[in-house]
Amino acid sequence: MAHRSKLSPVGAPTRGTTNPNRLRRVDRWIASSPRTSRLLRAAADPLVVDLGYGASPVTTIELARWVRRVRPDVRVLGLELDPARVAFAQYAASPPMLDFRRGGFELAGTRPVLVRAFNVLRQYAEDEVPGAWGLVLDSMAPGGLLVEGTCDEIGRLSTWALVAASGPVSLTLSMRLAGLEKPSTIAERLPKALIHRNVPGERVHTLLSALDACWATAAPHQAFGVRSRWLETVRLLAARGWPVSGPPSRIRLGELTVPWDSVAPA
């Protein structure tokens, strides 16, 4: 479909803020999550797009390193709306394995199997999120997956939604445990689809409130270290009936995943 490459970029420029290792939490998850890693291994054309990488290509370079642990021949393409950012990133390009191009939600006419879009939708209205998700997924290869989320400036608090063509699949919360006052601190970094829903009566608010309550109950475990307290918190949360998933190795890092329907806007 050669005409796809002539599509005009769609989207609004981001601030461009970026830092090394800012997206390490989501990159590790992409490389270890069964669904995303299976997708990469099975793809006939393993192309991954980093949408809106910012003023520096550093996080795109890091993404490439992580996904190549899953499959060495994965190609990674960084897309940005700002031509100056694309031009600057060329120092790191090594086509076809790592390249940078101007593009937005239309994905510059490419057909990736996986798209990572972080801190891209924060400036959009909540009601614009489904349309943005849909445009990205419609542009992807069949069965493709979008990982869309938000994090703080140094990557200590991070959340993301896994989205398929059929709709959002899951929400992941990932936080640095050292110095964590309470889990609901992560609320300010929820994906755009949920960030305004952290109010009584909404499912995501119920989840974060339950997390805080379990965290408080698990306080005696702090004597054995913050990781012990977190593991007890997650155990208590699951005992309350929350469908927590994720391998123990990920949970130990301060991470948990729940199905989207357990936190979807009411």
Side-chain angles (χ1 to χ4, degrees), residues 168-197:
V169 176
S170 63
L171 171 71
T172 298
L173 309 177
S174 185
M175 58 201 88
R176 185 175 184 266
L177 296 176
L180 181 67
E181 181 180 349
K182 57 182 180 178
S184 65
T185 302
I186 206 166
E188 64 194 37
R189 300 298 172 175
L190 285 170
K192 189 65 179 191
L194 295 175
I195 195 166
H196 301 301
R197 301 288 179 157

Side-chain angles (χ1 to χ4, degrees), residues 101-177:
R101 194 181 307 174
R102 188 164 183 255
F105 296 137
E106 84 302 331
L107 305 183
T110 63
R111 301 286 280 179
V113 295
L114 182 71
V115 172
R116 184 190 71 181
F118 248 69
N119 303 303
V120 171
L121 293 180
R122 286 184 64 85
Q123 63 190 322
Y124 289 80
E126 182 183 342
D127 61 7
E128 294 179 294
V129 172
W133 282 356
L135 181 54
V136 170
L137 287 158
D138 287 347
S139 302
M140 296 178 70
L145 294 171
L146 166 65
V147 180
E148 189 269 308
T150 305
C151 67
D152 65 0
E153 286 72 12
I154 56 177
R156 291 184 176 183
L157 299 173
S158 188
T159 73
W160 56 88
L162 179 67
V163 190
S166 58
V169 176
S170 63
L171 171 71
T172 298
L173 309 177
S174 185
M175 58 201 88
R176 185 175 184 266
L177 296 176

Side-chain angles (χ1 to χ4, degrees), residues 217-236:
T217 302
H221 288 257
Q222 186 78 32
F224 304 102
V226 68
R227 183 169 295 171
S228 178
R229 183 179 183 180
W230 171 253
L231 292 174
E232 177 64 7
T233 297
V234 175
R235 187 194 70 78
L236 291 169

